[in-house]
Amino acid sequence: MILSGEQLKPIACNGLLVIGDPHVGSRRPGRRKDLEWPLPVLAKLERCVGIANERGLAVVILGDLFDRPVETDEALKNQLIRTLKGFRNRPIVNVGNHDIQHTTLTDGDTLALLGLCDVVDVVAASAPVVEVQLGERRLGVGMTPYGQAIPTDVRGSFSGVDLQAWFTHHDIAFEGGYPGAVPPFAVEGCDVLVNGHIHKTQKSVQAGRTRWLNPGNITRQSVDLVDHVPRAWILDGSGALEAQPLPFEANVFDLTGRVVDAADGSAVAREVESAFVTLLQAESPTELKRSGDGSIVRDEIEAKFSQDNTSDAVRAIVRSLLGEAVERHARS
């Protein structure tokens, strides 16, 4: 089902299993060096099925179920559908930025297909979603997809609930401000707000009545997440999150050119290799296979940009050309 303002029937369960940003996709991301992709992501989702069914939990996915708005690998989509249909309670999925081609979910997006086929319930518009009975306590659940305004007041969304939770997929400034990030703020009537989008687990922030949480994603896509521990989380009737371990391998990144011995002059030279020479190398399928989405090449180009203080215009041209090279490789 695709929800655009209507609410689901009340759910009785023992808690909510919160799953952060799976980024399911056929293209191996960044510097990941897994031989078979995306088996690690599917394995984590399979474990989530086990946890949810064993403990009688409803399921919330924080957004970015898919890594790209249109997933073309039919076998992968079938695998994912089989996994998602294993949940006894149909997952409720927020819409992330990677799930959509435009500003909102459309029929051209793969996530919409899963919603229309009742594999998952997709929240396409910011609204109250469902009431959940957790033992003696009632929880009201609302969601705001990526790109839509987080409400400042959710009083009246539900009547007679003991706790109100809201789920978002936004740039939130948990550890200091940065351009475009929204500082946590008090949401009237909201006890706990759980955010996706930011891939690392963040320290909670209290803003008035509202406690902001960011549990982090289950798929490590880039080297800045090398120390991140992928986990699912159980939200209980008190609004607390309990971490649940998921299967993962620690050493999954190709760190070539990132961890450089200062005395190794040749390694440093490779790291700052000309952006344009590197771009030409990107045309080689052998080079691109190191990273299905061109991230290793992109890292080298960005390092060159920073060293030379390259103009924004030139950066845009080179990035565009790299994107074209990656797409050509993906289609070959």
Side-chain angles (χ1 to χ4, degrees), residues 206-220:
Q206 191 75 33
R209 168 178 171 175
T210 311
R211 185 160 55 97
W212 291 66
L213 304 169
N214 193 100
N217 70 351
I218 66 168
T219 304
R220 294 168 297 158

Side-chain angles (χ1 to χ4, degrees), residues 294-317:
S295 292
I296 292 179
V297 173
R298 187 177 292 109
D299 282 349
E300 295 170 357
I301 290 173
E302 295 295 336
K304 180 66 174 174
F305 286 161
S306 298
Q307 182 196 32
D308 294 349
N309 196 25
T310 306
S311 71
D312 289 341
V314 172
R315 293 184 190 214
I317 292 170

Side-chain angles (χ1 to χ4, degrees), residues 112-265:
L113 178 64
L114 268 60
L116 290 168
C117 295
D118 290 340
V119 176
V120 294
D121 291 321
V122 181
V123 179
S126 181
V129 175
V130 67
E131 288 187 20
V132 180
Q133 189 73 40
L134 303 175
E136 299 299 319
R137 293 176 66 80
R138 290 174 62 203
L139 169 68
V141 173
M143 284 190 180
T144 299
Y146 176 81
Q148 300 180 28
I150 300 173
T152 58
D153 191 340
V154 298
R155 290 174 296 184
S157 298
F158 302 94
S159 60
V161 297
D162 300 294
L163 190 78
Q164 192 146 304
W166 210 267
F167 295 86
T168 60
H169 191 96
H170 279 258
D171 280 309
I172 305 299
F174 278 92
E175 296 186 2
Y178 56 92
V182 176
F185 57 89
V187 179
E188 296 296 331
C190 179
D191 299 285
V192 59
L193 191 149
V194 185
N195 187 58
H197 190 54
I198 299 173
H199 290 171
K200 287 184 178 181
T201 306
Q202 305 290 320
K203 293 181 180 178
S204 65
V205 175
Q206 191 75 33
R209 168 178 171 175
T210 311
R211 185 160 55 97
W212 291 66
L213 304 169
N214 193 100
N217 70 351
I218 66 168
T219 304
R220 294 168 297 158
Q221 291 187 290
S222 54
V223 292
D224 60 311
L225 298 174
V226 66
D227 295 324
H228 173 67
V229 178
R231 292 170 287 187
W233 302 77
I234 297 177
L235 181 71
D236 62 21
S238 71
L241 285 177
E242 175 192 346
Q244 299 296 304
L246 297 177
F248 77 100
E249 296 290 336
N251 182 24
V252 295
F253 290 106
D254 177 358
L255 299 177
T256 305
R258 297 293 299 224
V259 181
V260 178
D261 187 334
D264 187 351

